[in-house]
Amino acid sequence: YRRIVESDVGDSFYIRTHFEYEKESPYGLSFNKGEVFRVVDTLYNGKLGSWLAIRIGKNHQEVERGIIPNKN
């Protein structure tokens, strides 16, 4: 576990959203159906229900970081 945390090889995968969402907190991200995110923390703040993710924009650039729900 310690080796995984220190090497930063834990959470890191891509998702495409399948619903629209309006953010509920200042750190949240709103999104539309079909947007792509790289998820970097599936247990944000040690709690289930939110992921820390980075929005992927045009030219595959990481453009915005925030919290998204992992269930609807």
Side-chain angles (χ1 to χ4, degrees):
Y1 173 79
R2 185 168 303 205
R3 193 169 7 126
I4 290 170
V5 171
E6 289 172 356
S7 67
D8 199 30
V9 296
D11 298 338
S12 184
F13 57 90
Y14 292 86
I15 61 163
R16 183 178 304 273
T17 58
H18 63 276
F19 58 95
E20 293 184 6
Y21 177 76
E22 189 65 35
K23 69 181 182 177
E24 297 177 354
S25 74
Y27 301 107
L29 294 175
S30 297
F31 55 81
N32 295 310
K33 183 177 179 180
E35 291 193 60
V36 176
F37 290 87
R38 181 168 70 94
V39 176
V40 294
D41 187 352
T42 57
L43 200 59
Y44 182 71
N45 277 342
K47 299 178 184 174
L48 295 174
S50 297
W51 287 346
L52 178 60
I54 303 168
R55 185 186 316 271
I56 305 298
K58 294 180 181 181
N59 300 319
H60 310 289
Q61 298 293 322
E62 295 183 347
V63 294
E64 187 177 18
R65 177 183 291 250
I67 308 307
I68 61 172
N70 71 346
K71 59 184 177 181
N72 183 358

